[in-house]
């Protein structure tokens, strides 16, 4: 874990002693330089950050540059040492603005609160950089298919549902569902902002006109509709599997494998429309969505 002191931060001996459980023996915290927005040592790119600050004014330009330069870190802990708690809101907004991953914020008003924050950080499972959690409200067999499409190594992901949910060391959360209710009534892993993966074949209208889906997800997860839209991915598992099998090219193969062709109203097309050209058009349209999803992993 990278421990970083903000420029100008001064800590009494009792605070430094309380910080010891977070520091490997012989190591000292890094210090952020306000003139360069860089630390006085090189942070580990695979580890998270613990950023300790008084934040007497606001999140300043050098803070923003520091956050932006390290936004690929798998997790962030912010510890605000200040009697006033307004800085918590500023830090939370900065974390959102710079898409910092898995942020946790602590307001340490005194030494007792600081010791508690350090203890919580020490006992929080460290995130494995690049690992992804595929999470669904109810167990879905297609999440296994999705994982095999996205990853070539089982160690890069884990699959859970609301029944077998456990602590996770995953960096990224893909919340998977097939209807609006699949994205509601959930207790998600703490501080993981989800990406929304919608397998749309059973709810074509949400794919054709996603405004209702987006607005309801936004309301439930306390996000703006613009943010939900930017984090929403429509996927077509059947078409992706069909594309990978070069032996299947006929309309009968496509129908048997669950390929669906529809018109502009979302109504299923007739069997006569299942030509090789039309099947490929549908399949490659779905593949573009899958490629978008792969870009964030």
């Amino acid at each position: 874990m990278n421990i970083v002191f903000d420029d100008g931060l001064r800590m009494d001996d009792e605070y430094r002693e309380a910080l010891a459980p977070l520091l490997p023996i012989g190591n000292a915290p890094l210090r952020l330089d306000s003139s360069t927005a860089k630390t006085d040592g090189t942070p580990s790119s695979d580890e998270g950050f613990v950023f300790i600050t008084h934040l007497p004014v606001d999140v300043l330009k050098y803070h923003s540059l520091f956050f932006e330069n390290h936004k690929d870190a798998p997790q962030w802990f912010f510890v605000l040492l200040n009697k006033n708690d307004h800085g918590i809101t500023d830090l939370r907004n900065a974390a959102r603005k710079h898409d910092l991953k898995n942020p946790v914020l602590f307001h340490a008003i005194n030494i007792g609160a600081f010791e508690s924050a350090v203890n919580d950080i020490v006992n929080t499972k460290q995130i494995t950089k690049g690992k992804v959690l595929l999470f669904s409200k109810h167990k879905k067999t297609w999440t296994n298919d999705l994982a095999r499409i996205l990853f070539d190594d089982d160690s890069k992901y884990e699959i859970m549902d609301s029944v077998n949910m456990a602590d996770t060391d995953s960096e990224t959360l893909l919340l998977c569902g097939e209807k609006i209710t699949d994205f509601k009534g959930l207790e998600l892993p703490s501080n993981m902002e989800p990406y929304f993966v919608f397998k749309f074949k059973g709810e074509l209208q949400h794919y054709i006109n996603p405004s209702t889906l987006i607005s309801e997800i936004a309301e439930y997860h306390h996000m703006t509709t613009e943010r939900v839209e930017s984090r929403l991915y429509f996927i077509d598992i059947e078409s992706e599997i069909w594309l990978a099998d070069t032996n299947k090219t006929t309309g009968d193969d496509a129908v048997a494998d669950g390929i669906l062709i529809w018109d502009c109203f979302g109504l299923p097309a007739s069997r006569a429309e299942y030509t090789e050209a039309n099947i490929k058009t549908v399949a490659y349209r779905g593949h573009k969505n899958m490629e978008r999803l792969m870009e964030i992993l």
Side-chain angles (χ1 to χ4, degrees):
M1 192 68 69
N2 300 294
I3 315 300
V4 179
F5 284 4
D6 196 2
D7 201 347
L9 179 71
R10 299 290 181 267
M11 295 177 66
D12 295 338
D13 288 344
E14 62 178 347
Y15 280 84
R16 288 184 173 272
E17 291 174 7
L19 186 64
L22 276 174
L23 292 172
I25 295 175
N27 284 19
L30 301 174
R31 185 169 292 277
L32 181 60
D33 186 335
S34 61
S35 64
T36 64
K38 296 180 179 180
T39 57
D40 58 358
T42 303
S44 171
S45 60
D46 289 333
E47 297 182 5
F49 282 82
V50 178
F51 183 62
I52 305 174
T53 179
H54 289 317
L55 206 68
V57 181
D58 199 348
V59 173
L60 302 177
K61 183 178 180 179
Y62 78 92
H63 293 125
S64 294
L65 290 171
F66 169 64
F67 298 152
E68 187 66 24
N69 289 337
H70 298 286
K71 65 180 181 180
D72 289 335
Q75 66 190 136
W76 283 80
F77 297 96
F78 296 92
V79 182
L80 176 66
L81 300 179
N82 200 317
K83 298 292 184 183
N84 193 313
D85 67 352
H86 84 272
I88 288 291
T89 299
D90 295 332
L91 290 168
R92 183 178 291 111
N93 289 340
R96 173 65 65 85
K97 176 182 177 181
H98 296 284
D99 279 326
L100 303 185
K101 297 172 182 175
N102 307 302
V104 181
L105 297 96
F106 299 95
H107 178 211
I109 194 172
N110 53 37
I111 183 61
F114 183 71
E115 290 173 337
S116 177
V118 169
N119 183 64
D120 285 350
I121 295 170
V122 168
N123 288 291
T124 297
K125 184 177 286 190
Q126 290 199 23
I127 297 297
T128 299
K129 189 173 178 62
K131 190 172 181 180
V132 177
L133 170 61
L134 288 80
F135 186 85
S136 57
K137 186 174 185 178
H138 307 292
K139 188 174 182 178
K140 305 286 187 184
T141 57
W142 60 263
T143 56
N144 292 283
D145 294 326
L146 177 60
R148 284 191 290 269
I149 292 168
L150 295 175
F151 307 102
D152 56 7
D153 185 341
D154 291 351
S155 67
K156 294 180 179 179
Y157 69 89
E158 56 187 342
I159 298 175
M160 296 183 192
D161 57 59
S162 56
V163 174
N164 68 6
M165 179 180 166
D167 286 342
T168 179
D169 64 344
S170 291
E171 176 183 23
T172 303
L173 170 60
L174 302 184
L175 180 53
C176 304
E178 301 174 24
K179 49 191 177 182
I180 289 180
T181 54
D182 288 341
F183 299 96
K184 298 180 179 181
L186 291 164
E187 183 177 346
L188 299 178
S190 177
N191 301 298
M192 296 184 75
E193 186 178 34
Y195 292 92
F196 304 97
V197 179
F198 193 87
K199 185 175 181 290
F200 62 88
K201 285 294 185 64
E203 298 279 355
L204 273 173
Q205 292 303 324
H206 287 315
Y207 174 71
I208 295 170
N209 182 11
S211 57
T212 299
L213 174 68
I214 290 170
S215 63
E216 292 201 25
I217 289 176
E219 181 178 5
Y220 182 81
H221 290 276
H222 306 293
M223 299 165 68
T224 64
T225 55
E226 292 79 11
R227 191 161 184 81
V228 170
E229 186 173 11
S230 71
R231 300 174 75 87
L232 176 61
Y233 298 84
F234 291 97
I235 61 165
D236 183 352
I237 295 288
E238 291 82 8
S239 291
E240 198 70 23
I241 294 172
W242 189 85
L243 276 176
D245 190 341
T246 56
N247 293 320
K248 295 184 177 181
T249 58
T250 70
D252 288 338
D253 288 333
V255 172
D257 287 347
I259 305 296
L260 181 63
I261 299 176
W262 61 92
D263 63 20
C264 61
F265 302 104
L267 299 174
S270 69
R271 176 62 184 81
E273 296 296 318
Y274 280 73
T275 63
E276 184 176 353
N278 286 345
I279 294 168
K280 285 185 176 180
T281 297
V282 168
Y284 281 113
R285 184 168 55 203
H287 185 64
K288 288 181 180 179
N289 292 330
M290 192 69 71
E291 287 180 329
R292 280 186 59 239
L293 181 56
M294 290 176 175
E295 289 175 357
I296 68 170
L297 305 179

